[in-house]
Amino acid sequence: MQIDVLSLFPEMFSGFLASSIVARAIEKEAIDVILTDFRSYSTNKHRKVDDYAYGGFAGLVLQAQPIWDALKALTAQGPAPVIYFTPQGRKLTQSILEHYAALPRVILLCGHYKELDQRIRDMAVSDEVSLGDYVLSGGELASMVFIDGVARLQAGVLTDAQSASSDSFSDGKDSLGFPCYTRPEEWMGVKVPQVLTSGDHAQIEAWAQAQAQSLTRTRKTNEAASKLKGPMRLSKS
Ligand code: 6GU
């Protein structure tokens, strides 16, 4: 899968692309990430990419020309969907990631601080995606979220142990995970749930399912009550 990224801040991606699963996906050639600074397509003598908003509104607007020319160059060999990251987009879900992960190529468009000229959104953008109802300084973090999400869905990227098929939201399961424990069996006086050391696999499976169901119910239907858990309980030590 080829992922082109149009951003004014390509340096934001360097640590991300060099680490963990995404780095392995690149090394295995499951994904290829190509960063393009669309400022380099500006025909302005000062390489300016933004200007005042018509109508006298506050703030600058990213001009259509550099983005259009960058997209024209990127799609000279063939079309690809252009995803623009904006809080006004549809909320990113696992099924959106699964849809795009199956395509040979996508182009990710990141704005920064300011809105894009509407004509680019109308004429060149095929999808608009948001992370949620809050405001970030630009689309770069959202596009890294997207890249991470599609990279781990590519064949051969995750090991069996990391398998994506048991992910919380895969297959439209829409369920959160269950509590996990590892050694030691007792830590700070707290034991792991007894069922997990019982060796009874049917019981363990039933426990995990029940836990996942109740977690999903409380987190999704009573968000206010599940938001805060208080400070670290360090006094015990
Ligand atoms: Cl995709 N972009 C920006 N700038 N802010 C956001 C977002 C995207 N999703 C949530 N907040």
Side-chain angles (χ1 to χ4, degrees):
M1 179 182 190
Q2 181 177 325
I3 304 171
D4 287 280
V5 182
L6 287 178
S7 165
L8 294 172
F9 298 90
E11 68 277 8
M12 285 180 71
F13 291 80
S14 49
F16 167 69
L17 294 174
S19 313
S20 186
I21 306 275
V22 170
R24 191 164 72 227
I26 292 167
E27 184 199 299
K28 292 193 158 193
E29 300 184 352
I31 63 168
D32 188 12
V33 180
I34 300 163
L35 302 167
T36 300
D37 182 349
F38 58 84
R39 187 180 297 282
S40 65
Y41 284 88
S42 173
T43 54
N44 178 278
K45 64 172 181 271
H46 305 295
R47 301 214 309 158
K48 204 164 66 95
V49 291
D50 51 23
D51 210 330
Y52 295 105
Y54 279 112
F57 302 104
L60 296 165
V61 177
L62 289 168
Q63 291 173 290
Q65 177 273 318
I67 296 171
W68 181 259
D69 287 351
L71 287 171
K72 231 170 43 181
L74 288 182
T75 54
Q77 267 87 52
V82 176
I83 307 168
Y84 171 47
F85 292 98
T86 165
Q88 296 162 15
R90 58 180 178 142
K91 204 174 293 176
L92 185 62
T93 62
Q94 190 65 21
S95 77
I96 293 174
L97 291 173
E98 284 164 7
H99 167 78
Y100 284 114
L103 302 183
R105 187 185 181 197
V106 294
I107 298 172
L108 309 182
L109 175 56
C110 306
H112 211 88
Y113 311 130
K114 37 213 148 199
E115 197 42 82
L116 303 189
D117 188 299
Q118 184 62 34
R119 290 166 292 189
I120 274 290
R121 296 172 76 175
D122 293 340
M123 294 163 69
V125 168
S126 36
D127 197 355
E128 300 196 340
V129 167
S130 166
L131 293 184
D133 294 335
Y134 44 85
V135 178
L136 304 173
S137 310
E140 283 79 9
L141 285 167
S143 101
M144 287 186 246
V145 166
F146 180 96
I147 293 168
D148 186 296
V150 296
R152 60 200 306 289
L153 290 172
Q154 303 300 311
V157 169
L158 296 187
T159 63
D160 277 351
Q162 302 162 327
S163 163
S165 62
S166 64
D167 282 353
S168 286
F169 296 95
S170 67
D171 310 324
K173 259 187 314 199
D174 198 24
S175 148
L176 298 164
F178 48 83
C180 296
Y181 299 86
T182 187
R183 285 184 288 194
E185 191 176 331
E186 182 176 334
W187 178 75
M188 304 248 284
V190 184
K191 286 194 171 144
V192 315
Q194 209 230 309
V195 60
L196 295 179
T197 52
S198 68
D200 183 336
H201 296 297
Q203 276 246 63
I204 291 171
E205 186 59 32
W207 174 87
Q209 261 183 37
Q211 290 287 319
Q213 261 167 33
S214 90
L215 189 67
T216 303
R217 243 191 332 271
T218 52
R219 292 278 156 90
K220 298 214 163 184
T221 62
N222 187 13
E223 283 191 42
S226 59
K227 252 173 211 157
L228 287 169
K229 300 224 300 184
M232 270 177 93
R233 283 153 285 184
L234 285 174
S235 49
K236 257 191 163 167
S237 64

